[in-house]
């Protein structure tokens, strides 16, 4: 045996011994978390594995007969124009929704942190949209945007911006905007509360020192508030992106994915294909693709954030 081979074998043995010793030292901790790990595998891991398995079969919803088709569903999905249109509509829905909720949430949080009259009342009031069921809020917004009886058209007519009522949710070009507005209204309170908690953790001494140095409010916000909120913004936007991506009830209640599928996202299409049309295999394939999109996005997002050595 050469010297290099002896060194490699010794190194491998050393790693193995250290690994065994580490497990022995922490055996009690592994035993304590074992029930939780088994529970997570059962409620999270099994559905993912079963969905992937189902995507490899032709599986009608009204039959127990499954026919193995391999990757046929994936090939057909990637060859279809519908998939790329869904990607565009889903991306548009997520980017506009998350950006709106983040900007509005940050603006509200900054104002609620200040010493304003009725601060406790406003903090409580801003939680109301978050506490209302999404379907109820969606129905309310459907009436607000009604072309004849809605408040939105009434206000626009009073201001002279439009000459007659506009059916926002019936117009394929702007229907997605009407749905996004409702989603932003529902999701902004969560972002505002998260940002407000982050703002309150920033030491006040930083602002006092900056004020003594003559820094204006905008410069304090840019060089103190934003860097200190970096971790909070990361987590909040990551969660908001995932929730908006998989959001179903707002779109379905307001438009059902229409008109002419102009507001349909990947999740809406999964429901239509898998449950309404009864093609469970094709619906499962769409679900796996959506899961992989979110998984890769989360990894890239966290890698970019931690590239500078920051930790969550």
């Amino acid at each position: 045996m050469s010297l290099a081979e002896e060194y490699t074998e010794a190194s491998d043995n050393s790693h193995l011994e250290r690994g065994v010793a580490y497990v022995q030292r922490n055996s009690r901790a592994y035993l304590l978390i074992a029930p939780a790990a088994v529970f997570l595998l059962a409620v999270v891991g099994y559905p993912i594995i079963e969905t992937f398995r189902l995507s490899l079969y032709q599986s009608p919803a009204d039959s127990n007969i499954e026919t193995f088709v391999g990757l046929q569903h994936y090939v057909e999905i990637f060859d279809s124009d519908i998939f790329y249109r869904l990607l565009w509509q889903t991306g548009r829905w997520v980017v506009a929704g998350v950006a709106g909720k983040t900007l509005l949430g940050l603006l509200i949080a900054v104002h609620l942190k200040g010493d304003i009259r009725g601060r406790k009342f406003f903090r409580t009031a801003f939680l109301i949209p978050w506490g209302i069921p999404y379907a109820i809020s969606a129905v309310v917004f459907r009436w607000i945007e009604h072309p004849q009886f809605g408040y939105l058209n009434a206000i626009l007519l009073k201001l002279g911006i439009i000459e007659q009522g506009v059916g926002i949710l019936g117009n394929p070009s702007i229907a997605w905007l009407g749905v996004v507005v409702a989603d932003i209204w529902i999701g902004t309170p969560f972002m505002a509360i998260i940002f407000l908690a982050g703002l309150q953790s920033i030491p006040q001494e930083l602002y006092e020192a900056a004020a003594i140095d003559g820094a204006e409010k905008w410069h304090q916000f840019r060089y103190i508030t934003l860097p200190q909120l970096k971790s909070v913004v990361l987590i909040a936007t990551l969660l908001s992106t995932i929730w908006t991506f998989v959001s179903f009830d707002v779109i379905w209640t307001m438009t059902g994915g229409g008109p002419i599928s102009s507001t349909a996202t990947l999740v809406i299409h999964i429901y239509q294909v898998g449950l309404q049309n009864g093609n469970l295999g094709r619906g499962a394939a769409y679900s796996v693709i959506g899961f992989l999109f979110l998984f890769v996005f989360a990894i890239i997002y966290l890698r970019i954030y931690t590239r500078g050595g920051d930790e969550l």
Side-chain angles (χ1 to χ4, degrees), residues 1-12:
M1 182 180 293
S2 66
L3 183 60
E5 290 173 341
E6 290 180 1
Y7 176 77
T8 302
E9 183 178 353
S11 178
D12 292 341

Side-chain angles (χ1 to χ4, degrees), residues 52-258:
F52 179 75
R53 187 199 67 80
L54 196 61
S55 71
L56 304 178
Y57 287 82
Q58 187 69 39
S59 179
D62 57 353
S63 173
N64 293 326
I65 300 174
E66 293 182 343
T67 305
F68 182 76
V69 295
L71 298 176
Q72 178 184 334
H73 289 310
Y74 294 96
V75 173
E76 292 175 354
I77 288 172
F78 287 120
D79 283 342
S80 69
D81 294 334
I82 296 175
F83 173 67
Y84 297 100
R85 181 163 57 82
L86 287 172
L87 280 187
W88 158 246
Q89 292 178 178
T90 304
R92 181 179 64 183
W93 157 259
V94 172
V95 171
V98 174
K101 285 178 274 191
T102 302
L103 293 176
L104 275 178
L106 187 58
L107 183 65
I108 292 171
V110 170
H111 280 83
L112 287 181
K113 182 177 180 292
D115 188 19
I116 60 173
R117 180 175 296 180
R119 184 172 59 176
K120 291 183 179 179
F121 167 78
F122 287 118
R123 287 184 177 184
T124 305
F126 275 114
L127 280 175
I128 292 176
W130 180 251
I132 298 175
Y134 286 9
I136 301 298
S137 299
V139 170
V140 171
F141 265 86
R142 197 170 63 185
W143 276 104
I144 289 175
E145 298 172 7
H146 193 279
Q148 295 178 331
F149 312 111
Y151 289 114
L152 180 60
N153 275 289
I155 294 172
L156 295 178
L157 285 170
K158 284 285 185 183
L159 296 175
I161 298 176
I162 58 176
E163 296 180 353
Q164 59 182 2
V166 178
I168 298 173
L169 299 180
N171 188 329
S173 300
I174 59 175
W176 72 278
L177 282 173
V179 183
V180 165
V181 169
D183 183 62
I184 291 174
W185 184 83
I186 294 169
T188 295
F190 169 78
M191 303 293 275
I193 294 301
I194 294 295
F195 292 149
L196 181 60
L199 288 172
Q200 290 178 330
S201 67
I202 301 175
Q204 190 61 30
E205 292 79 8
L206 294 177
Y207 293 103
E208 294 173 356
I212 292 174
D213 291 338
E216 299 177 352
K217 291 291 184 183
W218 165 246
H219 290 99
Q220 293 180 23
F221 178 78
R222 180 179 177 183
Y223 296 108
I224 297 176
T225 304
L226 286 181
Q228 294 290 325
L229 274 182
K230 187 178 177 182
S231 297
V232 177
V233 171
L234 169 77
I235 295 300
T237 52
L238 181 60
L239 290 176
S240 181
T241 300
I242 294 173
W243 292 339
T244 307
F245 187 94
V246 300
S247 176
F248 173 83
D249 36 15
V250 175
I251 299 176
W252 190 254
T253 304
M254 293 185 72
T255 64

Side-chain angles (χ1 to χ4, degrees), residues 14-32:
S14 176
H15 283 301
L16 180 62
E17 290 171 357
R18 285 202 297 268
V20 171
Y22 181 81
V23 171
Q24 289 175 341
R25 282 198 308 272
N26 299 280
S27 58
R28 180 174 295 180
Y30 285 124
L31 287 175
L32 290 174

